[in-house]
């Protein structure tokens, strides 16, 4: 929760103090004034609780480059979408739509863009899954194979198979995002996958922590990653509060933010994660329902969400739609 202390209130306080001390034959020194201001700033910073914005990039060739996305300064996290095929004997396949052809090795050209993003403090994660559902985890073997593939191909490892290559070149991503919205197999295996991946933290030449995030649907608990979230291994959970009328914002006479806030309380109390994010479409056209106008977000939703110590910010789908409407630019100061 934000704790604001206005400059005018500081001036009033110091003026009153100066008048009182002059009445006693002394004056307020500059050092005393600076000490008072410093104290107030410390108190303010301790009470502040701001958020950040996460974005999905990769599913529309007209959304601009990855480097341009990060250069906006609007995003703290970029999820590369998606590794859309894996498990049940399938060869894992990265699909970045119109940006590059991973099968031919052309996506290795993103190495410089990823490095540029990371140099600006942006965390870049690989998102696995997506809405198409052409994936599954059906056995422990599936899990171990996928974990090893992700480590060697996108994280801090190196391909162990002869002739193996990294689809994004030498770039070492910051983690893996679980956007599991279907597929086959047993959802419980995603918890095993999380454990395998988190165990790689600190390993490899880079020695980086492997960050884990997930994008569950807002009905609690999520049927696909709910069990995985029970592991407590996830750093960020961006809950999709859209395309789910029972737990999303309803404009007009539809109840406003009531259903969303009820669901938010379930997520923040029921999931052990560093931070929970409000997942939204970046424009009305980005989803079937659930878009929140800027004014409503700032007045009805964000003030209530910030009361939770787990509030992390806002996740947006996707960069293409955000680029069309400028939603992140409009909300970033309020987030």
């Amino acid at each position: 929760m934000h704790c604001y202390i206005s400059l005018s209130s500081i001036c009033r306080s110091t003026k009153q103090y100066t008048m009182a001390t002059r009445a006693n034959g002394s004056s307020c020194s500059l050092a005393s004034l600076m000490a008072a201001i410093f104290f107030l700033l410390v108190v303010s910073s301790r009470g502040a609780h701001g958020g950040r914005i996460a974005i999905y990039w990769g599913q529309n060739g007209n959304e601009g480059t990855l480097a341009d996305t990060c250069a906006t300064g609007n995003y703290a996290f970029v999820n590369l979408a998606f590794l859309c095929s894996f498990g049940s004997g399938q060869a894992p396949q990265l699909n970045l739509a119109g940006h590059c052809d991973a099968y031919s090795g052309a996506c290795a050209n993103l190495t410089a863009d990823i490095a540029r993003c990371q140099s600006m403090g942006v965390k870049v994660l690989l998102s696995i899954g997506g809405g198409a559902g052409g994936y599954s985890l059906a056995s422990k073997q599936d899990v171990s194979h996928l974990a090893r593939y992700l480590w060697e191909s996108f994280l801090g490892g190196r391909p162990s198979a002869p002739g193996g290559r990294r689809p994004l070149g030498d770039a070492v991503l910051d983690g893996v995002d679980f956007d599991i919205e279907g597929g086959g197999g047993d959802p419980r295996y995603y918890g095993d996958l999380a454990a395998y991946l988190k165990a790689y933290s600190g390993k490899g030449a880079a020695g980086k922590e492997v960050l884990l995030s997930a994008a569950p649907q807002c009905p609690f608990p999520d049927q696909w990653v709910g069990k995985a979230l029970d592991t407590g291994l996830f750093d960020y959970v961006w809950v999709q509060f859209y395309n789910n009328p029972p737990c999303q914002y309803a404009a007009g006479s539809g109840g406003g933010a009531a259903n969303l806030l009820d669901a938010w309380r379930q997520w923040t109390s029921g999931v052990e994660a560093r931070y929970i994010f409000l997942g939204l479409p970046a424009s009305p056209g980005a989803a079937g329902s659930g878009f929140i106008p800027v004014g409503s977000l700032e007045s009805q939703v964000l003030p209530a969400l910030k009361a939770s110590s787990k509030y992390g910010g806002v996740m947006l789908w996707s960069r293409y739609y955000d680029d069309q409407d400028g939603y992140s630019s409009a909300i970033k100061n309020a987030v």
Side-chain angles (χ1 to χ4, degrees), residues 152-172:
E152 294 182 351
S153 301
F154 298 99
L155 302 172
R158 286 293 179 266
S160 56
R165 62 185 182 185
R166 293 171 60 88
L168 300 176
D170 292 332
V172 177

Side-chain angles (χ1 to χ4, degrees), residues 40-157:
L40 291 173
L41 290 175
V42 169
V43 171
S44 175
S45 65
R46 286 177 178 174
H49 182 49
R52 295 174 288 177
I53 298 177
I55 194 79
Y56 280 84
W57 177 93
Q59 286 300 293
N60 193 304
N62 296 316
E63 63 194 341
T65 68
L66 180 59
D68 288 344
T69 296
C70 295
T72 64
N74 290 353
Y75 315 116
F77 307 90
V78 176
N79 297 313
L80 306 182
F82 295 104
L83 186 79
C84 59
S85 298
F86 57 81
S88 299
Q90 299 182 85
Q93 184 61 51
L94 177 67
N95 182 340
L96 295 180
H99 291 285
C100 57
D101 178 17
Y103 186 79
S104 68
C107 293
N109 293 333
L110 290 174
T111 298
D113 280 19
I114 294 168
R116 176 62 177 156
C117 289
Q118 292 172 328
S119 73
M120 291 185 283
V122 178
K123 301 295 185 185
V124 183
L125 293 82
L126 174 68
S127 186
I128 66 171
Y135 47 85
S136 68
L137 290 179
S139 67
K140 289 277 191 179
Q141 186 177 44
D142 271 354
V143 172
S144 62
H145 284 175
L146 179 58
R148 184 173 180 178
Y149 171 79
L150 292 171
W151 169 249
E152 294 182 351
S153 301
F154 298 99
L155 302 172

Side-chain angles (χ1 to χ4, degrees), residues 265-290:
R265 284 187 284 270
Q266 284 186 296
W267 282 98
T268 54
S269 63
V271 172
E272 289 298 325
R274 286 190 197 176
Y275 296 107
I276 310 293
F277 284 62
L278 172 70
L280 296 175
S283 75
S289 60

Side-chain angles (χ1 to χ4, degrees), residues 120-288:
M120 291 185 283
V122 178
K123 301 295 185 185
V124 183
L125 293 82
L126 174 68
S127 186
I128 66 171
Y135 47 85
S136 68
L137 290 179
S139 67
K140 289 277 191 179
Q141 186 177 44
D142 271 354
V143 172
S144 62
H145 284 175
L146 179 58
R148 184 173 180 178
Y149 171 79
L150 292 171
W151 169 249
E152 294 182 351
S153 301
F154 298 99
L155 302 172
R158 286 293 179 266
S160 56
R165 62 185 182 185
R166 293 171 60 88
L168 300 176
D170 292 332
V172 177
L173 300 185
D174 295 289
V176 177
D177 172 61
F178 290 46
D179 183 18
I180 309 302
E181 302 184 32
D186 188 335
R188 290 176 296 180
Y189 286 123
Y190 289 105
D192 295 331
L193 179 62
Y196 269 99
L197 292 173
K198 205 64 171 175
Y200 283 121
S201 290
K203 297 182 179 179
K208 297 170 65 169
E209 177 186 8
V210 176
L211 299 175
L212 296 181
S213 65
Q217 305 290 313
C218 59
F220 184 85
D222 182 81
Q223 76 174 103
W224 291 105
V225 295
K227 294 295 184 183
L229 293 175
D230 287 343
T231 64
L233 295 172
F234 286 79
D235 302 285
Y236 311 107
V237 179
W238 10 82
V239 184
Q240 297 184 47
F241 286 93
Y242 53 93
N243 292 334
N244 286 287
C247 51
Q248 69 185 30
Y249 179 84
S253 60
N259 288 344
L260 186 154
L261 296 179
D262 285 345
W264 174 263
R265 284 187 284 270
Q266 284 186 296
W267 282 98
T268 54
S269 63
V271 172
E272 289 298 325
R274 286 190 197 176
Y275 296 107
I276 310 293
F277 284 62
L278 172 70
L280 296 175
S283 75

